[in-house]
Amino acid sequence: MKDKSLDSHKNESQFSRREFIQVAGMAATAIVLSPALTACSTKAGGTPLSSISGKKLKLYMDTHDKVNGTFPDGITPKQLEGFYEKYQAACKEEGVISIRTHVGFGDGRAYCFNLAPSADAVKRAHEKVGLPFDSITEVHTITPADLALLS
């Protein structure tokens, strides 16, 4: 299998758009979510990513399940892609940053990770696009590196 990691010998044009976004998203998530890397997680100008727009952002996970009527039964990846663009616009209006969404199309479930000033901001973004949810929970990422730093 061809190595698709980003290094000095490869550039964006060597990846499909989807592969590049996935790799870039994983890197951004690692920087933003790992407390061990908090000192490195800044946007241009030195503003911490966890406090964009002057508001402290927290990590939230929201859940959707077709059994509960909160995940559209039979939605295709292409349909989800179109809907997700609208959701991102609603997130921007509410000061929410959509980090990652894990989708099980076969099981009809989704787990979404957002940085937001509050759970209410995530709720408002969902309401703007008519997206029901089962729960919105503030979560913390803990990796083996994080645990090592605690001891």
Side-chain angles (χ1 to χ4, degrees):
M1 180 177 216
K2 185 178 176 184
D3 179 17
K4 294 182 180 175
S5 63
L6 293 175
D7 61 39
S8 61
H9 302 292
K10 296 181 180 177
N11 62 40
E12 179 179 338
S13 64
Q14 292 173 294
F15 297 92
S16 72
R17 180 174 181 259
R18 187 174 306 272
E19 290 168 332
F20 183 77
I21 290 169
Q22 183 178 10
V23 170
M26 287 186 294
T29 300
I31 290 171
V32 171
L33 301 182
S34 176
L37 297 174
T38 300
C40 301
S41 61
T42 59
K43 68 175 203 166
T47 305
L49 287 172
S50 61
S51 62
I52 293 175
S53 302
K55 295 180 182 178
K56 177 120 174 90
L57 302 179
K58 299 174 185 174
L59 180 63
Y60 293 92
M61 180 178 83
D62 56 87
T63 60
H64 308 269
D65 192 324
K66 75 176 180 182
V67 171
N68 301 325
T70 59
F71 184 88
D73 194 18
I75 192 170
T76 66
K78 187 69 174 168
Q79 290 169 325
L80 181 63
E81 183 179 344
F83 177 81
Y84 190 71
E85 289 176 13
K86 295 173 188 168
Y87 176 68
Q88 284 186 310
C91 285
K92 185 175 181 180
E93 291 174 13
E94 294 298 331
V96 174
I97 301 168
S98 177
I99 298 292
R100 172 170 290 178
T101 300
H102 298 271
V103 179
F105 287 100
D107 291 330
R109 291 191 187 110
Y111 306 89
C112 310
F113 294 88
N114 298 286
L115 287 174
S118 68
D120 284 337
V122 177
K123 180 181 176 183
R124 288 190 305 270
H126 280 72
E127 290 171 345
K128 283 185 176 196
V129 294
L131 180 61
F133 55 88
D134 293 315
S135 65
I136 299 173
T137 306
E138 182 180 357
V139 295
H140 301 274
T141 299
I142 297 179
T143 66
D146 298 328
L147 293 174
L149 290 173
L150 293 174
S151 55

